Amino acid sequence: MKTTVLGLGVVLVAAGLIGVAVYADHDEDEKVEELMEKTHEGKRSPYRQLRTQAEAPAPSWQVVERTLPGFEAMSKALQESKNADIKGSADGYVDAVKEIAAATKQKDAKLLRAGFQALSQSCGDCHFKGGVGGELDD
């Protein structure tokens, strides 16, 4: 009986440590998750506003400029993530945001559209094509 209780205790401690490790990893990505939602979801999100401007015949550069801080914060959070999978999947997103910023500075609608296309592609690559997002539920 002592062996069984001791064995059960070891299993419970091990399970608890695994749970703490998983929870700690989740906490490290809380900022990424929060910014992901804030930047990409909803009718008034920077992503939706940028998409509208990228699809417009003549983008409103003032609106595009207002969206940039959200994307830049998201880029920074992805690059600084303690989760190696997230950090390793950030390059496409970061490069696309740089392209969008350059397009905005130059007021180049064609470059803006290309940057937005690259941004959209980076989202799909991560969330649906084997990136870290393959583990996400959306």
Side-chain angles (χ1 to χ4, degrees), residues 23 25 50 53 75 85 88 98 100 106 108 114 119 122 130-131:
Y23 183 75
D25 189 40
L50 182 62
Q53 295 310 310
S75 291
D85 290 333
K98 288 177 183 175
I100 292 165
Q106 298 171 27
D108 184 329
L119 182 72
S122 75

Side-chain angles (χ1 to χ4, degrees), residues 2 10 13 15 26 34 53 79 91 104 107 112 114 117 128 135 138:
K2 286 184 183 180
V10 169
V13 168
H26 176 72
E34 178 184 317
Q53 295 310 310
Q79 290 175 307
D91 292 346
T104 304
K107 304 220 182 317
L112 175 67
Q117 180 65 32
F128 304 108
E135 297 174 9
D138 52 301

